[in-house]
Amino acid sequence: MKARIIYIFFLLIAISISTTAQKGYEKSIEVGGAIGLDKFTNSSFEIEMINGYRFSDYLYLGVGAGFRYTDALYYQSYITSHFYESRDSKYLIPLYARLKANLTNTKVSPFLLGNIGYTFDVGQNPNKNTYGLMIEPAFGVDFKLNEGQTGLYFLVGFNLQNAEYTYFGSSEQTIKGMATSISLRGGIKF
């Protein structure tokens, strides 16, 4: 299953690179990770591809898809003064819309962006506890490499992802919430 997902992802990247760019069309590939700020996740690694349209030097609208590996809290228990916690490796596919606003039209241009979408849990575990709504506001900097659209960029974001885990105590309960993390990614746009 993992090999098939990775194969499909790289096939999409190859198709994206081989297509002829239209005026305003912009694509990018991002690689990065996230550091969890709560008990839902500790860390994650992700690779994403974003395709969209640049309406002006200041406004971009796109659609992204990717692959994310994360360690998610599976269950916690507190029984007879002993605390146990178990984590599960999750394979996630985020699909989202991106709105990006560049603040200047220079070789080094800061930007604000927002991603909103849905994450699918495609891991082996039948307990799908990290899925659903995903929101990520971010701040970054574009570095233009030439007069065209080619460039590098780096961003720091605040990621919110729907998550849940099972708590075993005097009774079993499902705890739901939003997993929060700081994401750090770099990308190339062309």
Side-chain angles (χ1 to χ4, degrees):
M1 178 74 171
K2 289 186 281 185
R4 222 180 306 161
I5 292 171
I6 292 170
Y7 174 76
I8 290 170
F9 184 74
F10 282 110
L11 181 64
L12 290 172
I13 290 172
I15 291 169
S16 174
I17 291 171
S18 66
T19 58
T20 305
Q22 302 169 4
K23 184 179 180 200
Y25 177 66
E26 185 177 290
K27 52 194 174 274
S28 61
I29 297 173
E30 289 180 2
V31 177
I35 301 164
L37 298 176
D38 54 30
K39 60 187 166 193
F40 287 107
T41 59
N42 285 334
S43 62
S44 67
F45 168 79
E46 53 197 278
I47 184 167
E48 300 175 356
M49 180 176 64
I50 303 96
N51 289 278
Y53 191 83
R54 180 160 291 284
F55 292 95
S56 71
D57 291 329
Y58 303 100
L59 183 63
Y60 170 84
L61 183 62
V63 177
F67 174 78
R68 183 180 303 152
Y69 169 82
T70 188
D71 68 328
L73 182 59
Y74 181 69
Y75 76 86
Q76 282 185 336
S77 64
Y78 185 78
I79 301 171
T80 62
S81 74
H82 288 85
F83 179 77
Y84 300 98
E85 181 175 281
S86 180
R87 295 191 168 273
D88 185 26
S89 296
K90 293 292 183 180
Y91 303 106
L92 308 172
I93 304 291
L95 299 172
Y96 56 89
R98 170 174 284 182
L99 178 62
K100 179 179 176 183
N102 286 80
L103 304 177
T104 64
N105 183 19
T106 57
K107 283 187 95 51
V108 177
S109 174
F111 63 82
L112 299 173
L113 72 78
N115 295 330
I116 185 165
Y118 193 91
T119 301
F120 297 92
D121 185 343
V122 296
Q124 298 287 335
N125 191 332
N127 182 12
K128 308 293 186 194
N129 61 343
T130 307
Y131 64 92
L133 179 66
M134 182 266 302
I135 300 170
E136 181 181 34
F139 172 78
V141 179
D142 277 330
F143 299 94
K144 291 182 184 177
L145 298 179
N146 59 28
E147 291 302 316
Q149 294 176 336
T150 305
L152 299 174
Y153 62 93
F154 300 94
L155 64 88
V156 176
F158 182 71
N159 188 286
L160 294 132
Q161 170 66 56
N162 184 55
E164 62 185 54
Y165 68 94
T166 303
Y167 178 78
F168 298 101
S170 56
S171 65
E172 179 180 327
Q173 355 173 211
T174 299
I175 309 295
K176 296 182 180 188
M178 294 295 275
T180 57
S181 60
I182 298 293
S183 57
L184 305 165
R185 290 196 300 275
I188 183 168
K189 61 181 184 164
F190 44 96

